[in-house]
Amino acid sequence: SSAPSELSEKISFLGSGEDFLHLVSSGLRDGRRRVYTYSLIDEGLFFSETGAALSKDTASKHLIHANAAMSVRYAGTFRICQRPGSGERVLVIDNDSGTYQPSGSNRHLLQALLELNFPGLEVLALNIVEPQPSYTRSLIGPNEAKGDPRAVYAGTWRWAAAAE
């Protein structure tokens, strides 16, 4: 069968946080905030949009993004959130990968790497096995509530909803 027309592969070399935000349309598609699955390997950061319906796939998206690499630096999900009031965008990334299960103890290294490569973009790295820091719950982000039919991803994190 052929792939849907909206699927595409894009290789980009980015010089700033704004370049990254432009590439992912500030984390929005069809007016809704989205969640992405990623794998970070020596060759780069590989990712695609994920979602509640997509999580039923039988193949591991992390494994596919990593091209079945045995050595993966980090893997999980990310989303673009916004600070209320200022609208400043924040890349919130985690280690939510059942395939590679990266240790959360190195998340500060992931955060530093992304801040270095995407200057001007605030990065927040969370550990999936730790409770969500309370100060992050005020960030405006995607609906990741398990069991909610409006959720774009059945995840762990809870964010403030954008004003309609």
Side-chain angles (χ1 to χ4, degrees):
S1 73
S2 63
S5 61
E6 68 269 5
L7 296 179
S8 66
E9 178 180 321
K10 185 171 188 176
I11 298 173
S12 297
F13 297 93
L14 310 172
S16 69
E18 280 300 317
D19 289 348
F20 179 75
L21 290 170
H22 179 73
L23 179 69
V24 297
S25 302
S26 293
L28 298 168
R29 186 175 57 77
D30 297 333
R32 297 181 72 197
R33 296 177 187 282
R34 303 297 172 163
V35 177
Y36 301 83
T37 299
Y38 78 92
S39 291
L40 177 64
I41 58 177
D42 289 345
E43 290 76 17
L45 175 68
F46 298 87
F47 63 90
S48 66
E49 183 182 324
T50 194
L54 299 176
S55 64
K56 296 174 187 160
D57 292 347
T58 56
S60 163
K61 290 174 285 303
H62 295 118
L63 188 69
I64 292 167
H65 292 319
N67 199 22
M70 294 305 291
S71 177
V72 171
R73 300 296 177 184
Y74 231 80
T77 63
F78 72 82
R79 71 278 302 135
I80 307 299
C81 293
Q82 281 186 291
R83 294 205 172 278
S86 71
E88 179 184 342
R89 292 165 294 189
V90 181
L91 169 61
V92 181
I93 194 161
D94 63 39
N95 58 332
D96 187 10
S97 169
T99 303
Y100 289 107
Q101 301 175 342
S103 169
S105 64
N106 292 323
R107 70 180 182 268
H108 67 285
L109 297 173
L110 174 66
Q111 184 169 324
L113 175 74
L114 294 172
E115 287 173 341
L116 178 69
N117 282 279
F118 302 139
L121 179 59
E122 181 182 355
V123 178
L124 175 63
L126 300 178
N127 185 350
I128 196 67
V129 299
E130 293 177 359
Q132 181 175 356
S134 59
Y135 72 91
T136 65
R137 291 180 181 265
S138 66
L139 294 172
I140 299 167
N143 179 348
E144 300 183 46
K146 291 178 181 162
D148 184 339
R150 297 165 301 171
V152 295
Y153 178 69
T156 300
W157 314 119
R158 298 296 169 262
W159 314 106
E164 296 293 323

